[in-house]
């Protein structure tokens, strides 16, 4: 009965999801694979491909490492993926998806949604640019086929040694391109943690768990479930601290007010999808006081810090490909809050379970935290001794391969806390 009850609420959430309803209506109205909604889906799929090193053959089959991540894609959808890759100047994506579209087109009875002339152009032109010769695997004919093939035969020997020095005269596998990820050491470690997930989560001498009352009388019968993750900076998980009725209320309040997540650069907020992709809602103070005053008390109980000067609750929804690349939560020097200082502690609540991915990753510490519904991940952003930045608190949200991830964050500021330093003189 409990499982049926949970399944009902999941279905009910999906039915009432405003974004889902609008997207499905848009697709029904158009009855084709065009429009911004398809472009956004394309970008999400390509981000996931490059980040997790998933070839088009696996992505179109809806699997990665024998794990199901989605529905199968047909020849028409693979063809559209190749088209958008071409428009985005992504020759490796063009080649990977065009070749996958060709194989499905051949095996599925050559559906009319795929134009063989254009498909041939995609494969030949991207072969010339990337240095991968896939033309020998094609069995196409058309008005322009001879012209494209002659150009390819002429240009390929001239360009193959100069372009990226791939040295693959008859290569078919382009995974080497996916396995190379252009990023800093921290970004590459972040990627490694996200790719391998819980298999990298190991116990250390700091790994401990306990029932915690924090010397509160009323917590003796219902203590906090506290789990130590790291000592410096301090990272802890508190399990089952957010209740189902609260989660439902939070999501209901947020759904109609979500907007694209942006990054702060100086005094401006800009949309930068490659660094952050998701939907955000900042809860207003009136709703926070009316509905979640008890939650503030709970946060103060398990963290030991005041919420009186805390930032407003931020609710974030990550869909397919949703992510947030590694970053620090505190503001840079000179941009701190005039009245309250900087973000001392982060309290991150998980509003949904996300199986196998959607982790919060700390690449400098080689630590990942799984997304478990109702739990709170808490960590220090600043050193408690002097208020300086904890560089190791660098963290990010792994790109979402499947499902939907909801989180709620609250940042506790320096002002109003019992600290050994005066943040105003810092």
């Amino acid at each position: 009965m409990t499982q049926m009850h949970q399944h009902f609420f999941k279905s009910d959430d999906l039915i009432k999801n405003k974004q889902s309803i609008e997207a499905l209506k848009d697709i029904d109205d158009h009855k084709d694979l065009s429009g911004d909604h398809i472009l956004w889906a394309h970008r999400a799929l390509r981000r996931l491909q490059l980040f997790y090193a998933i070839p088009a053959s696996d992505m179109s089959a809806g699997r990665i490492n024998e794990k199901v991540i989605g529905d199968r894609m047909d020849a028409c959808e693979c063809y559209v993926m190749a088209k958008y890759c071409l428009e985005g100047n992504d020759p490796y994506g063009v080649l990977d998806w065009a070749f996958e579209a060709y194989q499905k087109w051949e095996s599925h009875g050559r559906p009319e949604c795929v134009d063989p002339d254009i498909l041939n152009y995609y494969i030949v032109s991207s072969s010339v640019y990337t240095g991968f010769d896939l033309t020998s695997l094609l069995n196409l004919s058309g008005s322009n086929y001879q012209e494209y093939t002659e150009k390819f035969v002429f240009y390929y020997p001239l360009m193959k040694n100069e372009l990226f020095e791939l040295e693959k005269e008859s290569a078919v596998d382009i995974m080497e391109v996916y396995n190379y990820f252009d990023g800093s050491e921290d970004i590459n470690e972040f990627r490694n943690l996200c790719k391998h997930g819980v298999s990298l989560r190991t116990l250390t001498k700091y790994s401990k768990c306990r029932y915690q009352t924090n010397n509160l009388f009323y917590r003796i019968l219902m203590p906090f479930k506290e789990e130590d993750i790291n000592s410096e900076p301090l990272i802890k998980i508190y399990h089952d601290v957010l209740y189902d009725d609260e989660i439902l209320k939070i999501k209901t309040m947020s759904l109609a007010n979500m907007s694209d997540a942006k990054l702060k650069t100086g005094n401006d907020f800009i949309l930068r999808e490659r660094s952050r992709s998701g939907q955000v809602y900042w809860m207003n103070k009136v709703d926070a006081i009316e509905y979640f005053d008890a939650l503030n008390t709970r946060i103060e109980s398990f963290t030991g810090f005041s919420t009186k000067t805390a930032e407003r609750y931020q609710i974030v929804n990550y869909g397919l490909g949703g992510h947030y690349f590694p970053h620090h939560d505190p503001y840079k020097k000179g941009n701190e809050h005039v009245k309250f200082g900087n973000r001392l502690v982060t309290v991150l609540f998980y509003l949904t379970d996300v199986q196998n991915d959607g982790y919060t990753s700390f690449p400098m510490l080689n630590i990942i935290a799984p997304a478990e519904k109702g739990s709170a991940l808490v960590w220090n952003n600043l050193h408690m001794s002097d208020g300086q930045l904890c560089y190791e608190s660098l963290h990010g949200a792994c790109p979402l391969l499947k499902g939907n991830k909801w989180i709620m964050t609250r940042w506790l500021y320096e002002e109003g806390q019992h600290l050994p330093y005066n943040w105003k003189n810092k």
Side-chain angles (χ1 to χ4, degrees):
M1 287 299 295
T2 302
Q3 288 180 355
M4 289 174 66
H5 189 66
Q6 289 174 344
H7 292 161
F8 168 76
F9 275 113
K10 285 181 180 179
S11 302
D12 198 45
D13 277 351
L14 290 171
I15 292 167
K16 292 178 179 177
N17 188 307
K18 183 182 175 185
Q19 281 80 14
S20 296
I21 292 170
E22 290 178 351
L24 290 169
K25 184 178 181 299
D26 202 12
I27 292 171
D28 286 340
D29 289 345
H30 286 87
K31 298 292 183 185
D32 62 11
L33 293 174
S34 64
D36 288 342
H37 52 284
I38 300 298
L39 175 61
W40 297 332
H42 158 78
R43 287 176 179 172
L45 288 172
R46 280 301 285 161
R47 274 202 310 273
L48 290 173
Q49 266 195 285
L50 294 170
F51 189 87
Y52 288 109
I54 310 172
S57 55
D58 280 356
M59 186 68 84
S60 66
R63 68 174 190 271
I64 173 176
N65 298 329
E66 304 305 320
K67 180 177 71 175
V68 176
I69 60 172
D71 296 330
R72 291 177 178 272
M73 299 170 69
D74 59 24
C76 307
E77 292 163 332
C78 294
Y79 180 65
V80 171
M81 284 293 294
K83 169 179 174 285
Y84 278 112
C85 286
L86 185 74
E87 292 178 2
N89 297 317
D90 178 6
Y92 291 100
V94 175
L95 188 63
D96 199 15
W97 282 104
F99 189 69
E100 184 64 19
Y102 168 75
Q103 291 187 309
K104 287 182 178 291
W105 179 73
E106 278 279 9
S107 60
H108 295 168
R110 300 193 170 192
E112 294 182 0
C113 60
V114 176
D115 185 322
D117 263 356
I118 295 177
L119 186 62
N120 181 55
Y121 169 73
Y122 288 165
I123 294 173
V124 172
S125 60
S126 56
S127 292
V128 170
Y129 184 84
T130 61
F132 291 100
D133 182 4
L134 301 187
T135 55
S136 60
L137 302 177
L138 305 181
N139 184 26
L140 288 169
S141 61
S143 58
N144 297 316
Y145 179 74
Q146 189 65 31
E147 179 187 351
Y148 293 147
T149 305
E150 288 175 357
K151 284 183 179 179
F152 174 79
V153 171
F154 179 74
Y155 285 118
Y156 178 67
L158 297 175
M159 300 176 74
K160 67 178 179 122
N161 292 324
E162 284 73 22
L163 290 172
F164 309 107
E165 299 180 1
L166 291 173
E167 298 178 358
K168 288 176 174 277
E169 293 186 15
S170 58
V172 175
D173 183 9
I174 66 168
M175 283 302 294
E176 191 168 301
V177 177
Y178 286 129
N179 286 325
Y180 174 74
F181 195 76
D182 187 14
S184 65
E185 184 178 343
D186 292 332
I187 293 291
N188 288 325
E189 181 58 30
F190 170 68
R191 185 190 187 214
N192 183 56
L193 286 169
C194 293
K195 283 174 67 176
H196 296 96
V198 291
S199 64
L200 296 178
R201 197 174 185 215
T202 56
L203 295 174
T204 69
K205 62 181 179 180
Y206 304 113
S207 303
K208 298 174 183 176
C209 58
R210 66 187 67 81
Y211 287 114
Q212 179 63 268
T213 63
N214 284 348
N215 297 320
L216 297 170
F217 178 75
Y218 65 89
R219 279 286 164 192
I220 293 175
L221 293 177
M222 199 168 70
F224 295 116
K225 301 171 186 175
E226 183 182 75
E227 180 182 352
D228 295 340
I229 303 298
N230 195 64
S231 61
E232 186 59 39
L234 191 68
I235 305 175
K236 293 177 181 285
I237 296 178
Y238 293 90
H239 298 271
D240 304 322
V241 292
L242 199 62
Y243 310 128
D244 285 347
D245 58 336
E246 292 174 322
I247 291 172
L248 183 60
K249 185 66 180 178
I250 292 165
K251 291 167 75 173
T252 302
M253 289 171 57
S254 307
L255 276 172
N257 302 293
M258 304 295 278
S259 59
D260 289 331
K262 297 182 179 180
L263 294 175
K264 186 173 183 180
T265 56
N267 295 322
D268 298 323
F269 289 89
I270 62 172
L271 191 65
R272 190 175 290 165
E273 197 178 53
R274 289 187 179 182
S275 299
R276 187 184 190 190
S277 175
Q279 295 273 304
V280 172
Y281 167 64
W282 292 87
M283 189 183 297
N284 63 62
K285 291 184 178 180
V286 175
D287 286 341
I289 292 171
E290 183 177 353
Y291 299 109
F292 301 106
D293 200 38
L295 183 57
N296 289 333
T297 304
R298 219 173 301 149
I299 292 172
E300 292 179 345
S301 299
F302 62 71
T303 65
F305 292 103
S306 172
T307 60
K308 291 179 180 178
T309 59
E311 207 163 337
R312 288 185 295 160
Y313 288 106
Q314 184 198 68
I315 296 91
V316 183
N317 174 226
Y318 294 109
L320 175 69
H323 71 286
Y324 198 166
F325 264 30
H327 59 282
H328 290 105
D329 281 353
Y331 295 113
K332 292 182 179 179
K333 192 173 182 179
N335 292 328
E336 300 94 338
H337 196 287
V338 177
K339 292 184 178 180
F340 304 137
N342 217 334
R343 291 168 167 174
L344 181 70
V345 174
T346 296
V347 182
L348 189 155
F349 294 98
Y350 294 107
L351 310 183
T352 48
D353 287 313
V354 183
Q355 294 182 349
N356 300 319
D357 55 285
Y359 309 108
T360 302
S361 167
F362 294 83
M364 295 182 74
L365 299 169
N366 196 33
I367 287 174
I368 59 167
E372 297 175 355
K373 183 179 178 181
S375 64
L377 182 65
V378 180
W379 68 87
N380 294 349
N381 296 305
L382 307 177
H383 290 289
M384 293 296 164
S385 59
D386 56 10
Q388 297 302 311
L389 175 68
C390 288
Y391 288 99
E392 294 83 1
S393 67
L394 185 80
H395 63 283
C398 295
L400 204 61
L401 279 164
K402 185 182 180 183
N404 214 271
K405 176 183 172 183
W406 285 81
I407 62 169
M408 181 171 73
T409 307
R410 189 147 218 216
W411 289 283
L412 311 183
Y413 278 85
E414 293 171 291
E415 176 63 22
Q417 317 299 351
H418 297 290
L419 300 170
Y421 63 91
N422 185 347
W423 69 265
K424 294 179 180 179
N425 297 330
K426 188 175 63 173

